[in-house]
Amino acid sequence: GWFNAIPMKGVNTPQNEGAFAISGDGTYIVFTACDRRESYGSCDLYYSMLLDGKWTRPVNMGKVVNSVTWDSHPTLSVDGRKMIFSSRRKGSIGGSDLWMTEKDDKGSWTTPINLGSVINTVGDDESPFLHPDGQTLYFRSNGRPGMGQFDIYYSRYDIENDIWTEPVNLGYPINTEGNEGNMTVSLDG
């Protein structure tokens, strides 16, 4: 059964921590923290590692990943080498877009790239979740025709053509006339 929740020592502060992703092996977490002294924008992405049973002091992911605006809602690939997140940075098509960064051979995160107009709209595209299959991306958007202000969609990565497919609305009863948020999907779907 479930036991009572306990705070993550070393990660939580009296400030605002939220929207997180954890690596498949459970030893690396990326999360959003807002309005910190060392932030580059209003909200930045930070990481912490589980070493000897304790979470390390969180580290800002730096200027390569974070922008002078809002960066949030990370999701990690199972191997922890790819991250998709929401950002309102320069180069966005709409208010907030989905961006992707990958770890290079030296273990450094590369300059994020916009996932493009198949995924992103002139509205807000947020809360990505990359399924453990590495090819199915779930996210919420208010820039597409839907049932409510924000609906949840999915897209599949077409490996052969190196593109994301046109997003599909998950429909009712997942989507309603309200605002749908983020989601996580189990390994078996």
Side-chain angles (χ1 to χ4, degrees), residues 27 66 68 70 79 111 125 132 180 184:
T27 63
N66 290 306
V68 297
W70 175 87
D79 64 4
T111 301
D125 302 288
E180 312 319 330
T184 302

Side-chain angles (χ1 to χ4, degrees), residues 17-29:
E17 293 87 28
F20 73 95
I22 193 160
S23 62
D25 64 4
T27 63
Y28 185 84
I29 188 171

Side-chain angles (χ1 to χ4, degrees), residues 19 70 72-75 84-87 96-98 124-130 137-141 150-153 180-184:
W70 175 87
S72 187
H73 303 163
T75 184
I84 299 173
F85 62 100
S86 300
S87 180
S96 53
D97 278 8
L98 300 185
D124 294 311
D125 302 288
E126 302 174 344
S127 303
F129 172 72
L130 185 60
L137 177 65
Y138 296 88
F139 63 98
R140 77 182 203 146
S141 177
F150 274 100
D151 277 10
I152 298 175
Y153 298 82
E180 312 319 330
N182 59 342
M183 64 184 295
T184 302

Side-chain angles (χ1 to χ4, degrees), residues 57-93:
R57 182 183 174 131
V59 176
N60 187 298
M61 294 187 79
K63 285 184 179 181
V64 172
V65 172
N66 290 306
S67 69
V68 297
T69 62
W70 175 87
D71 301 291
S72 187
H73 303 163
T75 184
L76 290 168
S77 59
V78 170
D79 64 4
R81 299 195 55 82
K82 184 181 293 184
M83 180 174 67
I84 299 173
F85 62 100
S86 300
S87 180
R88 294 188 181 129
R89 67 185 57 221
K90 185 177 180 179
S92 291
I93 295 167

Side-chain angles (χ1 to χ4, degrees), residues 93 97 114-121 144 166-167:
I93 295 167
D97 278 8
N114 189 296
L115 289 189
S117 61
V118 171
I119 298 294
N120 293 308
T121 66
R144 302 174 181 283
E166 187 66 33

